[in-house]
Amino acid sequence: MNIIFLGAPGAGKGTQAAIVSKKLNIPTISTGNIIRDALRSGSDMGRKAKEYVDKGQLVPDDVVIGIVKDRICQPDCKDGFILDGFPRTITQAEALDKMNVKIDKVLDIEVEDELIYNRMTGRRVCGKCGATYNINTDCRPKKDGICDKCGDSLVQRRDDNPDTVRERLKVYYSQTEPLKEFYNKQGKLFEIDGQKPLKEATDEIIRAIEA
Ligand code: ADP
Ligand code: ZN
C-alpha cells in the first residue's frame, strides 16, 4: 500500500508515519529528513536546499521530485511506502502520476493554526538519532532535554523558530493545501483529527487504512 501523509507542518505527520510504518512494515520516505541529512553532509543537493529551508520556503520541485524518484525504486519500497512531507505542491503530485506511482490513501492530519504554531515551536529533535519530541504536547521526553531512545541531547530545529514557522504556515496554505482537493476528487482523502491525543489520532489513522 502506498500512503501519503498530508497536513500542515507540525500536525504530527512524522510521528504518525513512524507508527504506521512499523505496523505495516513499510518504509517512510520523509523528504524533510532526507533534505536535513543532505544539509548536514554538505552535499550538492544540501547546498542548493539550504537557502530555502532556512527561509521556511519549499525546495524547488525538480530537486525534491528527484529525491523521491531515486528513493521509491529502492528494493525496500516494493511492498509499499509512506510519503511524509511529499507531495507539497500540485506539480509534485503530478510527478508521482508521471512516475506511475499509484497512491492508495491520503491521510490529511488536521490541526488548528494556533495549535500548529505551538507544536512547531515546541518541537525538539535528537541530534543523534533524529527522534522527535514536543514539549507542548503529550509527546514530551521522559527527561527534559534528553532523548528517551539514545540519551543524547535534544535541540530545536533551525527552521522551528517563530519567524520561519510563520513563513512555513503561509507556504503550506498557498501551495500544499490545494492538494486536499486534488486527492479528494480522486476519492483518496481521509481527514484525521490531529488534535486528539496521539493514540486516538493513530487509531483513527489505522481505521482509515484498514477501511
Ligand atoms: P515539517 O516536519 O515541519 O512538516 P519537513 O521536515 O517535512 O517539515 O520539511 C522541512 C523543510 O524541508 C521544508 O520547510 C522545506 O524547505 C523542505 N521540504 C521538505 N519536503 C519538501 C517538499 N516535498 N517540497 C519542497 N520542499 C520540501
Ligand atoms: Zn536519540
Side-chain angles (χ1 to χ4, degrees), residues 9 13 31-32 35-36 57 59 85 88 92 123 157 168:
K13 296 188 296 291
T31 43
I35 292 168
R36 273 185 294 281
Q57 289 166 1
V59 172
R88 259 176 155 96
Q92 293 176 17
R123 179 157 57 187
R157 254 167 59 177
R168 286 161 68 199

Side-chain angles (χ1 to χ4, degrees), residues 26-155:
I26 53 176
T28 293
I29 302 169
S30 157
T31 43
N33 285 345
I34 295 173
I35 292 168
R36 273 185 294 281
D37 284 344
L39 294 183
R40 270 194 295 273
S41 76
S43 68
D44 272 358
M45 191 267 279
R47 275 197 299 275
K48 260 191 259 171
K50 186 171 188 308
E51 57 173 312
Y52 300 97
V53 177
D54 281 352
K55 278 191 250 166
Q57 289 166 1
L58 294 183
V59 172
D61 284 331
D62 58 330
V63 176
V64 274
I65 290 167
I67 293 174
V68 171
K69 219 178 197 164
D70 289 347
R71 182 64 188 86
I72 57 178
C73 60
Q74 301 295 312
D76 63 331
C77 292
K78 69 174 187 337
D79 296 327
F81 49 80
I82 296 170
L83 290 169
D84 162 26
F86 184 96
R88 259 176 155 96
T89 63
I90 298 282
T91 307
Q92 293 176 17
E94 287 170 348
L96 285 174
D97 292 338
K98 282 187 198 134
M99 291 178 226
N100 284 321
V101 171
K102 185 183 163 286
I103 297 301
D104 299 292
K105 284 178 183 171
V106 179
L107 302 167
D108 168 42
I109 308 188
E110 285 286 326
V111 171
E112 259 171 43
D113 254 20
E114 236 168 276
L115 259 177
I116 287 177
Y117 184 79
N118 236 316
R119 288 187 182 188
M120 286 171 83
T121 49
R123 179 157 57 187
R124 298 292 181 271
V125 291
C126 173
K128 193 172 174 194
C129 77
T132 63
Y133 301 88
N134 203 305
I135 59 169
N136 294 336
T137 71
D138 58 357
C139 299
R140 280 177 208 89
K142 291 198 184 80
K143 254 200 237 158
D144 276 0
I146 303 291
C147 178
D148 292 354
K149 298 204 172 90
C150 77
D152 221 68
S153 33
L154 302 179
V155 292

Side-chain angles (χ1 to χ4, degrees), residues 185-196:
K185 274 197 237 151
Q186 302 178 22
K188 294 177 181 167
L189 192 78
F190 292 79
E191 284 204 3
I192 307 295
D193 179 356
Q195 302 196 170
K196 288 182 179 167

